[in-house]
Amino acid sequence: MKPRTKQMTIDEVVGRLESGMTIGIGGWGPRRKPMALVRAILRSDLTDLTIVSWGGADVGLLADAGKIKKLVYAFVSLDSIPLEPLFGLARQNRTIPEICEWDEGMFFTGLKAASERLPFLPMRAGLGSDVLRNNPDLKLVTSPYPAPDGELEELVAVPALRLDVALVHMNRADAHGNASYLGPDPYFDDLFAMAADQVFVSCEQVVDTAGLSVDTPVQRLLLNRMMVTGVVETPNGAHFTTCTPDYERDEKFQKHYARSAADPEAWAAFKQRFLSGDEDAYQAAVADWTKEQA
Amino acid sequence: MSTETKTETGTEISRAEVCAAAVADAFSDDGEIFGSPMGIMPMLGVRLAKLTSNPDLVISDGESLFLGGVPPLFAKGDVVEGWIPFRRVFDVVAYGKRHVMMGATQIDRHGNQNISAIGDFAQPRRQLLGSRGAPGNTVNNRTSYWVAKQSPRVFVEQVDVVSGVGPKLAREAGPAASRFNDIHRIVTNLGVFDVNGPDDTVRLLSVHPGVSLDEVRAASGFEIAGLGSGSDADVSTTRVPTAAELMLIREVLDPRKLREREVPSA
């Protein structure tokens, strides 16, 4: 007997989301982001989302579309273009009502706490910095155990980053929800999954379970089906972020995105051309644009 | 201002090359820890340190691999001696065997650093990267800063947002914050500084060859300890790289002269 099949469409995934939800987005900055799912959210009428992300264009796009009520992040960057233009505009125009800028390590710790069903975990990051001043909800906790010098240290009690939904993009998955990354870094996708009530995995290719480890070390299987609610095949679905080794970042397109985003007229044209249709239309428009550039 | 200097043998040495050696010197006494550079000049300096003063230094490709050799900047393919994906970086931060050299959009008199936002945090004039790992780095492991273009807009009286925590704020935040706070060096295009001035303030250690104290004063928005009203003769000069270091910088590590993008000559 095989475990149940969880394969679904992009629209079915978005149909499971609700306004007001807390959504964690996997990947890292401009790397292995579930962009096809993000684009589907842009097309939806979802609003008032709390977004938890190591931010890249996912955050810029969702902010621009007015989808974000609250943003939890430690950075937003496109790497080869350091500052994300749409996120910058959103901050400078104050269009995201609630901002939680944390330290990167705190973010990791918050996901760990949520994945372990703990209310918080202690750490040093944040002490002395404006992360505590700008996030007055963050509390300190006094260690019940003395340090070697007898001090009872006061540490940051990082609250669990509990998520309603996690969206991640992997290289391969089976229809049951086992999934592997083939690139250099797992990022934190398993922690996002374990911190969430529902987990949707988009992937480059759905394969048989046996195919997941036939030519790949088993250690690359990051997600187990216990963690996963739904699987959707979205080839090139991380575009324009990396999905190594299936493809690298589309630097030309990213540059086009950033330049367009910096100018209202160019941005309207970009949205019309690339973001006004469904995912197939997006991929076709990108293919056309790429041909024009050649 | 002159950005080139000559050795006794008459070789032209660029300001960028002086900076690379100064960055390398910041890592010379670190022993067997992770030298973690953010940006081109820190990466060049860390690799130079590994090839000269500190062969025990552990270096990475800036992505997810610990490298067994010391390849040129951004070269692919080298002996791999370990795996350091992002999540493990945070493990090493907390473990403490790491010296990070970060950039800084602003640094203030007390060695606090800002990479988060310029202006009021609630509605910044300019949103920057976000605090990234700076708050955690500065209370966990040795931290240095690289500033490619020192100016009164970078060396400010008080940073708009404290991302990296200087020694004074760390002390005020209690023993958990100050126990491992270790702001080691600030290297700029003009000189080398630490934070051991009176009341834990930024202090001048050396000016680069060809840089006057007036230039440093003009590029600083606060009074720097060790600078005072003294004359140029009272302050030490940053050493120039040796012939062997110049060969390593020019022929091995940075043949594409990426260093010149950070600190252009003339």
Side-chain angles (χ1 to χ4, degrees):
Chain A
M1 284 287 281
K2 277 189 181 177
R4 67 201 156 96
T5 290
K6 298 170 189 163
Q7 219 172 327
M8 50 174 74
T9 65
I10 292 178
D11 289 338
E12 284 169 339
V13 172
V14 175
R16 301 286 289 270
L17 310 182
E18 291 167 28
S19 293
M21 274 185 165
T22 296
I23 300 181
I25 301 177
W28 171 274
R31 303 168 198 218
R32 203 155 48 69
K33 282 281 172 181
M35 294 302 287
L37 298 180
V38 169
R39 286 186 283 266
I41 295 175
L42 296 178
R43 293 192 297 272
S44 75
D45 54 9
L46 293 165
T47 56
D48 293 323
L49 301 176
T50 292
I51 297 294
V52 177
S53 177
W54 311 96
D58 53 332
V59 166
L61 286 164
L62 291 168
D64 177 71
K67 299 291 188 192
I68 307 180
K69 185 190 77 177
K70 177 176 172 180
L71 178 66
V72 186
Y73 68 102
F75 66 86
V76 182
S77 175
L78 305 175
D79 275 16
S80 49
I81 299 169
L83 302 184
E84 216 292 340
L86 295 174
F87 170 66
L89 284 173
R91 287 283 287 130
Q92 285 142 225
N93 297 330
R94 209 171 181 168
T95 55
I96 304 173
E98 288 178 63
I99 286 290
C100 301
E101 183 179 295
W102 284 15
D103 165 85
E104 283 175 357
M106 281 174 62
F107 212 88
F108 179 28
T109 300
L111 289 174
K112 262 199 287 198
S115 74
E116 294 170 11
R117 302 182 296 174
L118 289 169
F120 74 93
L121 280 169
M123 77 182 308
R124 293 179 201 281
L127 294 171
S129 80
D130 279 349
V131 164
L132 292 186
R133 197 164 59 108
N134 293 329
N135 296 278
D137 294 352
L138 293 175
K139 299 206 181 330
L140 299 179
V141 62
T142 303
S143 167
Y145 306 107
D149 58 6
E151 290 275 1
L152 294 178
E153 290 185 333
E154 264 204 318
L155 299 157
V156 177
V158 181
L161 278 174
R162 193 72 213 163
L163 310 170
D164 294 313
V165 173
L167 306 176
V168 301
H169 186 80
M170 304 289 280
N171 297 90
R172 303 287 179 270
D174 68 14
H176 316 293
N178 303 298
S180 62
Y181 73 103
L182 304 179
D185 201 312
Y187 309 120
F188 304 83
D189 287 1
D190 50 338
L191 285 178
F192 273 99
M194 292 166 77
D197 295 335
Q198 295 188 78
V199 179
F200 298 99
V201 181
S202 63
C203 67
E204 289 300 308
Q205 197 185 353
V206 171
V207 297
D208 280 352
T209 304
L212 285 171
S213 60
V214 67
D215 54 2
T216 303
V218 70
Q219 288 86 348
R220 286 189 172 280
L221 277 161
L222 190 65
L223 300 185
N224 176 275
R225 60 188 166 84
M226 289 186 291
M227 311 169 180
V228 173
T229 312
V231 176
V232 50
E233 189 177 61
T234 60
N236 211 35
H239 184 269
F240 46 92
T241 71
T242 62
C243 193
T244 313
D246 291 308
Y247 46 89
E248 296 303 316
R249 191 179 311 139
D250 188 341
E251 294 286 355
K252 267 190 185 173
F253 190 86
Q254 177 167 286
K255 211 173 272 177
H256 181 55
Y257 162 79
R259 279 201 191 130
S260 303
D263 171 70
E265 219 168 286
W267 181 237
F270 183 100
K271 281 199 288 192
Q272 177 58 34
R273 179 165 188 184
F274 297 106
L275 299 174
S276 59
D278 64 8
E279 179 65 13
D280 286 346
Y282 171 84
Q283 295 292 348
V286 169
D288 280 350
W289 182 87
T290 304
K291 235 182 265 168
E292 282 170 27
Q293 303 302 308
Chain B
M1 76 181 187
S2 163
T3 53
E4 292 205 338
T5 191
K6 284 189 183 183
T7 63
E8 283 169 17
T9 55
T11 314
E12 295 279 344
I13 299 174
S14 71
R15 179 72 55 76
E17 289 160 349
V18 171
C19 291
V23 171
D25 285 351
F27 291 85
S28 61
D29 69 351
D30 283 338
E32 199 160 41
I33 67 167
F34 179 20
S36 189
M38 305 292 153
I40 288 172
M41 185 64 76
M43 195 192 295
L44 177 59
V46 162
R47 291 187 185 194
L48 185 61
K50 175 144 171 85
L51 287 172
T52 57
S53 58
N54 187 3
D56 281 343
L57 206 57
V58 175
I59 67 168
S60 82
D61 67 348
E63 177 104 28
S64 62
L65 304 175
F66 280 138
L67 300 179
V70 188
L73 300 182
F74 303 111
K76 295 269 179 208
D78 191 62
V79 176
V80 169
E81 67 170 350
W83 188 49
I84 184 76
F86 288 115
R87 63 173 65 191
R88 284 208 180 170
V89 173
F90 298 124
D91 294 338
V92 181
V93 169
Y95 178 51
K97 291 192 178 182
R98 177 169 179 265
H99 178 178
V100 61
M101 183 177 271
M102 311 182 71
T105 307
Q106 294 179 326
I107 288 184
D108 69 21
R109 182 195 294 271
H110 285 101
N112 303 304
Q113 169 249 30
N114 174 18
I115 49 170
S116 167
I118 300 292
D120 176 20
F121 182 77
Q123 184 167 3
R125 279 202 307 284
R126 185 148 174 78
Q127 172 68 38
L128 307 170
L129 287 171
S131 283
R132 295 219 75 151
N137 289 339
T138 45
V139 295
N140 276 299
N141 60 207
R142 177 170 274 192
T143 303
S144 294
Y145 299 113
W146 160 247
V147 173
K149 196 172 179 200
Q150 190 185 328
S151 83
R153 291 159 60 107
V154 179
F155 271 37
V156 295
E157 182 64 40
Q158 201 173 353
V159 295
D160 292 343
V161 181
V162 177
S163 310
V165 182
K168 188 176 188 201
L169 275 183
R171 208 176 49 246
E172 288 167 4
S178 61
R179 195 177 298 279
F180 304 116
N181 178 260
D182 177 12
I183 309 303
H184 184 59
R185 290 283 180 275
I186 303 164
V187 181
T188 79
N189 61 321
L190 301 182
V192 180
F193 307 80
D194 67 11
V195 289
N196 294 327
D199 194 26
D200 294 328
T201 51
V202 172
R203 176 179 72 162
L204 179 66
L205 294 178
S206 66
V207 290
H208 300 333
V211 176
S212 71
L213 295 191
D214 280 341
E215 265 180 81
V216 178
R217 282 188 198 102
S220 305
F222 57 85
E223 197 183 307
I224 289 177
L227 196 53
S229 55
S231 67
D232 291 4
D234 300 335
V235 173
S236 58
T237 304
T238 313
R239 75 176 182 89
V240 296
T242 64
E245 285 175 313
L246 284 177
M247 189 277 288
L248 290 169
I249 293 169
R250 293 172 180 177
E251 311 295 331
V252 179
L253 294 173
D254 186 23
R256 290 159 60 200
K257 291 193 176 179
L258 297 171
R259 62 190 178 279
E260 287 285 319
R261 286 192 209 164
E262 297 250 285
V263 182
S265 292

